[in-house]
Amino acid sequence: MKFGFFSSDFADQGLIDDGAWKFCGLSKSQRMFAFGACFVAGTIISVLSTLILLGGNIAAFAIIYSCGNIISLFSLTFIVGIPKQFKTMFAPVRFWATVTYIVLLALTLALSIWLKNFVLSIVLVVVQFCALIWYSASYIPYGREIIRRFFGSCITSI
């Protein structure tokens, strides 16, 4: 098993865990709807945070954008369960992607709140988004490979 940021190994993809949400009495279909609702809500929150950005409040934008990303990330727990979510987040295949995303999330929040530097905050949000895409692609078989090939073909066509 490869252990690294660019690993494409997908041996532990985090399949549905039937026992994790039994204590809440949620069926598989209810958990799928909860996943969809939570993911869509997080995405909408992140997208709508740009309205706050237009108002010039960079700290509020960074906080709301990051909260939207956390809600979207949490949505996966409805499918795989909380213990399996944390286990797969820190599996060797996606360890560095997880650490990178969490560090960027913390940096985005901290520097946007304390420094209130508009350009730095935008750069951190963009890099945070890229880290989230890379992390999410680790759950899709060959997801990272698809991203690598796409950008590789873009670079070679220049």
Side-chain angles (χ1 to χ4, degrees), residues 75-116:
S75 68
L76 192 59
T77 64
F78 285 105
I79 295 176
V80 299
I82 296 169
K84 184 130 178 135
Q85 169 73 10
F86 283 105
K87 181 183 172 197
T88 58
M89 282 177 71
F90 293 100
V93 67
R94 65 184 62 87
F95 177 82
W96 289 110
T98 300
V99 169
T100 302
Y101 175 68
I102 291 171
V103 166
L104 284 166
L105 186 72
L107 277 173
T108 302
L109 290 170
L111 296 179
S112 296
I113 291 169
W114 289 312
L115 295 181
K116 296 184 175 148

Side-chain angles (χ1 to χ4, degrees), residues 10-135:
F10 50 90
D12 185 12
Q13 293 298 312
L15 302 174
I16 290 179
D17 183 0
D18 291 330
W21 287 96
K22 289 258 188 210
F23 68 92
C24 291
L26 298 177
S27 68
K28 283 185 182 180
S29 61
Q30 289 171 325
R31 291 187 351 239
M32 293 304 282
F33 281 118
F35 161 74
C38 198
F39 184 80
V40 168
T43 302
I44 289 171
I45 289 169
S46 293
V47 170
L48 290 178
S49 69
T50 58
L51 296 176
I52 294 170
L53 181 63
L54 297 175
N57 190 344
I58 192 66
F61 162 70
I63 291 168
I64 294 172
Y65 177 82
S66 296
C67 286
N69 277 344
I70 292 168
I71 292 168
S72 293
L73 186 63
F74 176 75
S75 68
L76 192 59
T77 64
F78 285 105
I79 295 176
V80 299
I82 296 169
K84 184 130 178 135
Q85 169 73 10
F86 283 105
K87 181 183 172 197
T88 58
M89 282 177 71
F90 293 100
V93 67
R94 65 184 62 87
F95 177 82
W96 289 110
T98 300
V99 169
T100 302
Y101 175 68
I102 291 171
V103 166
L104 284 166
L105 186 72
L107 277 173
T108 302
L109 290 170
L111 296 179
S112 296
I113 291 169
W114 289 312
L115 295 181
K116 296 184 175 148
N117 183 317
F118 183 82
V119 174
L120 178 62
S121 296
I122 295 299
V123 168
L124 284 171
V125 164
V126 168
V127 176
Q128 176 187 335
F129 178 76
C130 292
L132 180 61
I133 295 295
W134 191 253
Y135 166 79

